[in-house]
Every structure is written in structure tokens, then in C-alpha cells.
Amino acid sequence: MSYPSRPADLPPTVNCPYCLSHIDTSRARSVIRNIATQEVVDDVTDAVRRRGLLGVASYDRGNTYLECRREVRLDLVQGEYDYPGTADPLDDMTTVVMNRPGEDSPTAAFTDGIGFDDPEEAESAGPSPFSLADDADEDGDGWESTTGAQPSPPLPPPADENELPEPHYIPYEYCQVRRTLNIGLIGTSSSGKSHLLAAMLYRMQEEEERLAELGLKVEPFAEMWEYYVQREDIAGFFAPDRRTVLRRTSRNDPVEFRMAYTVTSTWTGEETDYVVSFFDVAGELFLDSKARSRLQFIYGLDAYIFVADGQALYGWGGKRRGLRHPSGFSNVINKLRQNERLVARAKGKTPQNPLPQPAVVVLAKADLLLAQKEYWVSRWLELDDDFVLKTVDEESEDVYVYCATNGAREWLYPVNAFEDVTLHFASATGCEEQDGHYNKRKFRHMRVLRPLLSLFAMTGLIDPKTINHAYVKGVREPL
């Protein structure tokens, strides 16, 4: 009996959301990963190629992943793309233009650093005075004749924390759904990204009925929610009797979906399935020029959540001098614009300006600004209006004015960079942490679901007319 060369329930190629390469599904392995350690525990490639995901035991389907490794990626390198008469805008980065399968014109550009050693300089330097001669082990007994020591076996090179792990793994269910909405949280360390995401996802789980009124059915990937809750003591953050602070996201954490959902949109009268996934990586990566491959995923995102740290404002004591630390917004926007220019020029087209993806700017930890009796903040933050979306533009105006008049114009960069942007006040906790915990009586999620629903409207998962949004008044005129 002969089996198909690829899983019957997958197309010939799928796109890796982490490295943005195209994977040949006829050569990729399908594996089961442990929910707690995320280590590979079983190879189910043969079973999956026979029957697709039905070939896997039902309790393991949520833990089935497609393996993305160098051997299964389609290598369609055509050559370097040069900028005639100009310096390379990406500074020591080699640009490789690639084709999608079945297309004649280049459609994607990938960039990476490359370094070269100078052979002449190496020769002139001469041998190291600490190096042993080639014949140190003259008699071949494994002991050095010169020093009398037994040489140590060569050590493998240390893993580069700036590089994407090889291999990496994509949830199998993600590969099955053709429509995806990959959302990335952008912001520096301690800006509140992880807490905002946790509160946002928790509310989405709790508001099933109200989401249904908007035409959304939301289901987490099988075991992914349980793993998300267990990891980093998310359960302690949710638990009413604990309210523990989430651990800081490490730059060594894998670049993978923090959480993913199957979302069915029904507002058009037809059921349309999407995979909605969330990326949340260490904030210092957005300020690190060496972390190019680990940030490759930002070029494949469909929407962006820019998280502004409300605690970074120099608003205390009436002093308004700007921000305590950079937001990282401009670095990401510059990378996206550079990539947009590369892709457009490779296609022979004009780059899109502003960027076509939708975005939201969330002024997180806004509860800390209430003590300053800020009218712009208190007017919105104390409202329970996550689902009252017709006032999104009005709120956006107030957030814009507040940032512009408090030395935080850096937080407004996305407004001019992206075609569709809304701005929001929010707080994931409603109070400040003390000794690793939040006050149990004061703890509450404040307007955390509203930015996500605004994104859903701008991407068409819910009726775009719900937010009554065409542009941010007074900031940018409609097209």
C-alpha cells in the first residue's frame, strides 16, 4: 500500500510564522511535544501522512507540531538585491530575494548579517603562542607528548541567543487553517506586555456570550491554554487569593506563539475560520541590533499591539520632560519600513506608505496615572466599556492629546506609520505591585479587551462598522 508523500490535510507548502520560510510538507516531520517541557517525545510522521491529524490519538492532537528545519525549507535564493548608487540601508546586512512557489516575481526579502575574516591579517598574526604543535600526540596514544595531558574532546559551539533555534515547531492545527491573524505585542522590558496579554486572553475566555453577539466563536488550541496557564505561574496571576506578578519574559525564551485560538467569524452570515495567534517576546530584543533572526517574525505579522509603559512618563511632580526609557516603537517601525521597501523594489512596485497592517497603541499601567488626577486618563479608565466600541475614535483623540502634551510623542509613531490605528487607555491589574503580588481587593482588569476588539474590527473578524472608525480625527485626514 502506498501513502501520499505529504499529509492529506495539509497543502504542499506552509509558511513558518517564526522564520517566514516555506516548508515542504512532504519532507517535514510531524512530532508530539510534551506540554510542560515542550520537548519532542514522539515522531508521528508516518501516521500523519496516512490519515492526517486523525492518525494521532485524540489526546495528542493538540500537542502535534510540524517541524521546521533547514532540510525541509524551500531554498529559492536568486541572489542579492543591490541598491544602485546608494549605500546599503541595512548596514552590513545581506538581502536575499526569494520567490513564492508558483510565482515568477520575487515576493519576499530576508535580511541577515554576515561577517568575513581577513586571511591576510590571520597569516600576518602568526600562530598563537599558546597553541600546541600538530604533532603534540606523537605516538597516537591520546596523550600529548609535550604536556603529558590528555586532550579534551572538542566542545560544541555555544548556542547563539540572538539566533532562532534550529529546528523550531509550528502547531499542526495552525498549518491546517488557511486564514491566519498573527498579532505581535511590541514594547520594551517591563512595559507590561505579558500582563496585558494575560488579562486580555482571560477576559476573552470569560466573555464568550458577549463575543458571540459580535459574531465571534473563540476556542483555544486544545492543550495550549492549559500550558499557557501553567507556564510562568500564569495561574497565580489569575488566582483571586494570590495575584502574583508574572515573571519577566527572558530573551532566551523560545520565539513561539504565546497563545493561539481558533476563531470563527459569523457576522457576515457565513462561518469563516481563522487562527489568531499572539507573539510576546523579551522587550530588549526590540532594541538589540544583533537579534535579527529572532525578530524575523515581525515581518509576517498581520496586526500589531504597541504597549506604552505608563510608568515611564516623567509626569510625576508636574515635570514633563519626556520618557524615562525608549519604547522600542521606532526601531520596529524602521525595520518594517525597510522590509516594505525591499519587497516592493524586488517586485518593481512602489512601497506602501503608510504600512498596510492595522495597529493599536495601548497606554498600559494607566491606573498609575490616576493618582495625578489626569482628566484624560480618568475620563476613560474608570469606564466599563470594552464592548462599547463606537467611542473608539473619541478615545483615540484623547490618548493622542495626552501623549503629545506629556512628552510622549514617541508613543505616537505608529499613528503616522500605519494605515489604521486606534489608541487606548488600559490597565491589566488596576493597582501597583508590592513584594511580587497585587492587592487582592484593588486588583481588576480595566478595559483590556477593547484594544483587541478594535483590532478584530480593523481586520474584519467583526463588523468594521462596529467601531465607527475611519481615521483618528485631527491626526491624519482620511484617504
Side-chain angles (χ1 to χ4, degrees), residues 121-355:
E121 181 179 348
E123 291 177 5
S124 62
S128 168
F130 301 102
S131 63
L132 295 175
D134 293 338
D135 60 348
D137 181 13
E138 296 176 349
D139 52 8
D141 63 355
W143 295 81
E144 295 174 355
S145 303
T146 306
T147 64
Q150 189 172 20
S152 302
L155 297 175
D160 187 347
E161 63 179 11
N162 294 314
E163 294 298 323
L164 198 64
E166 178 73 23
H168 40 273
Y169 302 90
I170 313 163
Y172 196 92
E173 291 178 270
Y174 176 89
C175 302
Q176 289 182 304
V177 180
R178 302 302 296 170
R179 294 180 177 87
T180 60
L181 178 62
N182 296 326
I183 302 173
L185 280 81
I186 311 297
T188 51
S189 296
S190 302
S191 60
K193 300 189 304 298
S194 297
H195 289 79
L196 177 65
L197 178 62
M200 191 181 290
L201 300 183
Y202 179 80
R203 284 295 309 279
M204 192 159 62
Q205 298 275 103
E206 295 292 302
E207 298 289 355
E208 183 178 350
E209 292 183 4
R210 299 190 72 179
L211 289 173
E213 294 174 2
L214 294 175
L216 289 181
K217 298 178 183 177
V218 180
E219 295 181 0
F221 275 11
E223 283 81 16
M224 209 166 184
W225 173 253
E226 286 77 8
Y227 172 60
Y228 174 73
V229 171
Q230 294 171 15
R231 181 180 53 200
E232 306 160 14
D233 199 20
I234 296 285
F237 176 67
F238 290 146
D241 60 336
R242 295 176 62 189
R243 300 303 186 191
T244 54
V245 175
L246 300 181
R247 77 167 179 88
R248 181 176 175 178
T249 305
S250 169
R251 66 177 297 136
N252 293 321
D253 285 357
V255 178
E256 294 185 349
F257 299 142
R258 188 68 61 170
M259 186 59 198
Y261 292 85
T262 301
V263 177
T264 303
S265 175
T266 62
W267 70 271
T268 61
E270 299 180 359
E271 291 193 355
T272 306
D273 290 333
Y274 295 81
V275 173
V276 178
S277 57
F278 297 88
F279 284 90
D280 175 23
V281 300
E284 57 261 34
L285 292 177
F286 296 117
L287 301 174
D288 189 349
S289 60
K290 297 180 181 179
R292 295 184 186 123
S293 68
R294 289 176 67 83
L295 287 180
Q296 191 75 22
F297 74 90
I298 67 173
Y299 305 119
L301 293 176
D302 303 298
Y304 300 83
I305 298 177
F306 289 88
V307 181
D309 183 1
Q311 207 167 15
L313 268 177
Y314 278 149
W316 317 110
K319 298 177 181 179
R320 309 185 187 282
R321 299 192 301 269
L323 301 178
R324 288 190 175 96
H325 52 74
S327 65
F329 294 179
S330 58
N331 289 356
V332 172
I333 290 171
N334 288 338
K335 289 177 183 290
L336 294 173
R337 281 176 167 165
Q338 289 171 344
N339 188 71
E340 177 66 25
R341 286 196 295 269
L342 290 172
V343 173
R345 292 182 183 182
K347 291 181 176 181
K349 297 181 179 180
T350 303
Q352 295 190 56
N353 187 25
L355 296 167

Side-chain angles (χ1 to χ4, degrees), residues 379-397:
R379 178 189 177 191
W380 293 100
L381 195 61
E382 295 177 346
L383 295 177
D384 183 14
D385 62 345
D386 278 20
F387 289 85
V388 185
L389 300 176
K390 290 189 178 296
T391 57
V392 162
D393 267 4
E394 187 179 354
E395 180 189 10
S396 297
E397 292 180 48

